[in-house]
Amino acid sequence: MAEPETGPFRFAVPGWMRRHTPLLGRVLDQLRTVRVLDCATRLAAQAFLGAVPVLFVVGALAPDWLQEQLASSLRTALGLQDAALEQVTAVYAATDSEVKTGTGWVGVVVTLLSATACSRALQTMCERSWHLPKAKARLAAWRWVAWLGVWLAALLFQGPVQDAFGAGPVGGILLSVVSGTLMWWWTQHLLLGARIPWLPLLPGAVMAGVGQELMSLGSRIYMPIALNRSLQQFGGLGSVFVFLSWLIMLFVVITLAVCVGYVLAHEPWPARHLRTPPDPQG
């Protein structure tokens, strides 16, 4: 397995670990090759600079009921309260004319197109995790836009999903894990250009769905405290740091899930049942 040029996890896996805990050794090799923190930081930056502004632009241009639904979903997913919640609702209080005046339609289109940078970074992470060559842009471009559209739609319904459409918090947790698993299962298949069959992608998708829900549950406790404290101490700039840190942690979880999912899908027993293609790394 080739040595990475930069980044964390640049170490040699001890021989005793390979002999006595071969699965752990393969996982560490995978983390070293993929460079998890490097991928997660890049994904967080692209999401913060590209995808997040789309939420505000789309939300400000959307009808009132859609603005309320989107704000409710963000409140549920991140546990926003008090000053932090007021900042979000203030953004969505903007009218169509205010957004058009401030950015113009050209700016809106540019914002939407720039958001595909997050899709591209996510595709790079999936390809690196599955040791596949980079797909040609002309074949992948529509996939970037498709992923962004589905992601926006999924985020819009996070509020009802987290409550299982009125069934309660326990049902909401189960439904969120299932919906998250389906989202990341489809995401991998889409951004890898269907070069990997569906079943081998399932272990990583399950771990991503579970990890994402654990992040959401933890956020409801941590984020209100951290955001409100940062707003009091540093103003709006403090909330930027807190939210960016949250994005990095989220994408660390997602990247770890996809990376480890690759390793598990190539273990002898799962590989037989999932019909995993041969490991290109040998």
Side-chain angles (χ1 to χ4, degrees):
M1 189 172 291
E3 290 283 342
E5 296 177 0
T6 60
F9 298 111
R10 189 175 185 178
F11 55 83
V13 179
W16 64 265
M17 184 178 291
R18 294 182 185 276
R19 291 191 300 272
H20 299 291
T21 55
L23 176 59
L24 179 58
R26 287 191 287 273
V27 168
L28 291 177
D29 269 334
Q30 172 77 338
L31 299 183
R32 180 187 63 172
T33 302
V34 174
R35 292 171 284 176
V36 172
L37 294 181
D38 179 51
C39 282
T41 303
R42 183 178 293 112
L43 276 165
Q46 295 294 354
F48 187 78
L49 296 174
V52 172
V54 170
L55 292 178
F56 297 117
V57 171
V58 171
L61 292 175
D64 291 343
W65 69 269
L66 193 58
Q67 293 178 12
E68 294 173 2
Q69 180 61 58
L70 190 52
S72 173
S73 292
L74 289 173
R75 180 176 63 247
T76 302
L78 298 178
L80 299 180
Q81 297 176 8
D82 304 329
L85 180 59
E86 289 175 5
Q87 279 201 338
V88 173
T89 53
V91 171
Y92 291 141
T95 62
D96 293 5
S97 59
E98 289 172 332
V99 172
K100 294 174 187 175
T101 302
T103 62
W105 281 111
V106 174
V108 171
V109 172
V110 169
T111 300
L112 294 174
L113 291 178
S114 67
T116 60
C118 184
S119 308
R120 297 196 298 271
L122 194 57
Q123 176 184 312
T124 299
M125 182 273 288
C126 292
E127 290 172 339
R128 187 180 291 179
S129 297
W130 281 88
H131 307 285
L132 294 175
K134 188 174 180 62
K136 295 181 180 179
R138 63 182 179 84
L139 299 177
W142 71 268
R143 301 174 189 273
W144 304 333
V145 178
W147 181 85
L148 183 63
V150 173
W151 172 74
L152 287 170
L155 182 60
L156 176 64
F157 291 100
Q158 275 302 298
V161 167
Q162 291 286 345
D163 191 42
F165 296 92
V170 175
I173 292 174
L174 295 176
L175 184 59
S176 296
V177 170
V178 171
S179 63
T181 296
L182 292 175
M183 179 66 183
W184 291 109
W185 197 12
W186 173 79
T187 292
Q188 292 179 83
H189 193 264
L190 175 79
L191 296 180
L192 290 174
R195 287 175 286 176
I196 301 296
W198 281 98
L199 285 179
L201 302 172
L202 186 56
V206 171
M207 287 187 290
V210 172
Q212 180 178 273
E213 179 58 17
L214 290 176
M215 277 284 299
S216 179
L217 293 173
S219 296
R220 299 176 199 178
I221 301 173
Y222 170 75
M223 289 295 281
I225 299 173
L227 280 171
N228 290 326
R229 181 181 300 167
S230 296
L231 284 169
Q232 291 174 1
Q233 293 179 347
F234 307 108
L237 187 60
S239 62
V240 170
F241 293 135
V242 172
F243 188 53
L244 187 56
S245 300
W246 182 86
L247 283 174
I248 292 174
M249 286 302 302
L250 173 64
F251 285 115
V252 165
V253 169
I254 298 302
T255 305
L256 281 172
V258 176
C259 287
V260 177
Y262 168 88
V263 176
L264 294 180
H266 285 88
E267 288 298 292
W269 188 84
R272 287 196 301 270
H273 291 79
L274 298 175
R275 300 177 184 177
T276 305
D279 188 346
Q281 299 297 306

